[in-house]
Amino acid sequence: MLRRLYDWTMAKASHPHAEWWLALFAFMEASFFPIPPHPLLGLMCLAEPKRAIRFAAIATIASVMGGLLGYAIGYALYDTVGTQLLAALGLTESFPKAACYLRDYGVEIIMIKGATPIPFKLLTITAGFIAMPLVPFILASIVSRSISFMIVGVLFRLFGAPIKRYIDKYLGLVTVGFVVLVVGGFIAATMLGGSGTSDAKSKCEQVAPLK
């Protein structure tokens, strides 16, 4: 299922309205779609490197708007739509810890984790659920999504086809690798944050998952 969905997404890179597809995928991924728009963005940047900044800007704007939808789901529809959506995406157990981290760190978590391949939809839905102030949420989302999409555009521009071939062949391993990078990066960030950060992290890691 994941492979078919991935292949279908990749086919849109050569579509006459590829920019609209990129915007749609970036919007949906920020709230409910399981496939990130980064591979599609990479192919589009590879095909037209002079338009890479434009493509990254489109993905950023659409993702932030999709994040607002995720925020609205968490804020107003968590008990109905939100719980079912998190369950379908396999994020139910991660939700309580995400809520704990967002309450303790706020925009820092959005910027640090939103700029990594961790599911951005988890952050947006959780931010709405805890009623995180909207303006800081939007600003942090803009920063994190800009960094994320610009990095992909540059990497595909520099290395091109080898990256796509690797993703095509080892999609599952790439996903695991992304998770390892996210965990390792967060551990490094919390270590630099001092004992207070470590105490908060320990508290959030002890939060029991939802049943």
Side-chain angles (χ1 to χ4, degrees):
M1 178 63 182
L2 181 62
R3 168 59 62 181
R4 291 197 298 271
L5 191 56
Y6 171 77
D7 291 340
W8 179 76
T9 303
M10 289 300 91
K12 304 308 177 186
S14 58
H15 195 277
H17 302 297
E19 290 185 356
W20 288 102
W21 281 110
L22 174 63
L24 178 62
F25 290 142
F27 178 88
M28 295 190 302
E29 187 272 338
S31 51
F32 61 87
F33 193 61
I35 301 296
H38 299 74
L40 176 59
L41 170 63
L43 290 183
M44 293 173 61
C45 291
L46 178 61
E48 299 185 69
K50 292 183 179 180
R51 303 180 71 187
I53 294 179
R54 173 185 172 87
F55 296 151
I58 290 172
T60 298
I61 294 171
S63 184
V64 173
M65 292 178 65
L68 290 174
L69 173 60
Y71 185 101
I73 291 173
Y75 184 83
L77 301 171
Y78 178 77
D79 290 335
T80 54
V81 178
T83 53
Q84 295 183 32
L85 183 57
L86 290 174
L89 294 169
L91 298 174
T92 300
E93 292 188 358
S94 301
F95 175 77
K97 292 180 182 179
C100 179
Y101 279 120
L102 277 173
R103 287 191 179 101
D104 285 344
Y105 301 118
V107 296
E108 295 176 63
I109 290 298
I110 299 291
M111 288 190 290
I112 292 174
K113 293 207 171 189
T116 68
I118 197 169
F120 190 55
K121 61 190 71 64
L122 174 61
L123 298 179
T124 63
I125 294 173
T126 306
F129 177 80
I130 68 169
M132 180 179 179
L134 191 57
V135 172
F137 168 77
I138 293 174
L139 294 177
S141 296
I142 291 173
V143 171
S144 66
R145 297 285 81 187
S146 296
I147 294 173
S148 178
F149 293 125
M150 286 297 180
I151 287 175
V152 170
V154 170
L155 286 177
F156 271 85
R157 175 65 184 93
L158 293 176
F159 301 107
I163 290 182
K164 181 184 183 300
R165 286 198 298 267
Y166 186 84
I167 292 177
D168 285 343
K169 188 174 182 180
Y170 301 109
L171 179 61
L173 291 178
V174 169
T175 302
V176 173
F178 280 170
V179 173
V180 172
L181 285 175
V182 170
V183 173
F186 184 69
I187 290 175
T190 53
M191 289 178 65
L192 292 174
S195 60
T197 301
S198 178
D199 291 343
K201 178 178 182 295
S202 177
K203 179 190 71 175
C204 291
E205 288 300 323
Q206 294 174 10
V207 174
L210 297 176
K211 301 298 184 182

